[in-house]
Amino acid sequence: MKSLFARLAATISELKANPNEVLNQANGEPVVILSHNKPRAYMVPVETFEAMQEQLEDYRLLQEARKRMDDESVPVSIDELRAAIQEKSAQGVEQA
């Protein structure tokens, strides 16, 4: 059997019979849901799921940053940058 990423396991039948009891026993930690003694799903608290999503997004951004580090750089002076920003700002005002 593969490693499980939860200390608590519950069968689908146990979850259907008393979901609140399973949640209470989990004490805020993930629960692996079993069907015929095989993992079918994980149930995680909302806070844990949201933190996982944020970490995944951070990882994606890190990968994108690493990919862009190999891109060719373009030298730009601060004055050129300011002029470009002012020009875009002026264009936005004209379009409104």
Side-chain angles (χ1 to χ4, degrees):
M1 183 182 233
K2 294 182 193 178
S3 296
L4 300 177
F5 300 100
R7 293 184 195 160
L8 181 66
T11 65
I12 290 176
S13 298
E14 291 170 332
L15 184 62
K16 283 200 275 187
N18 198 342
N20 285 326
E21 180 61 26
V22 173
L23 289 171
N24 290 338
Q25 287 179 2
N27 204 25
E29 293 194 24
V31 178
V32 62
I33 307 301
L34 305 174
S35 176
H36 304 289
N37 271 350
K38 293 182 182 176
R40 297 288 296 182
Y42 284 95
M43 182 171 66
V44 296
V46 170
E47 298 81 13
T48 302
F49 183 81
E50 290 171 349
M52 290 167 50
Q53 292 301 308
E54 286 181 27
Q55 287 178 339
L56 281 171
E57 182 60 22
D58 290 348
Y59 179 75
R60 286 186 199 109
L61 290 172
L62 177 62
Q63 294 305 315
E64 184 64 28
R66 285 183 176 155
K67 187 173 78 173
R68 289 184 183 191
M69 285 176 65
D70 295 334
D71 290 352
E72 188 176 320
S73 62
V74 178
V76 177
S77 74
I78 191 71
D79 293 331
E80 291 171 321
L81 187 58
R82 283 183 181 141
I85 291 171
Q86 287 176 346
E87 184 178 320
K88 280 195 172 196
S89 177
Q91 287 175 358
V93 170
E94 289 173 4
Q95 291 177 359

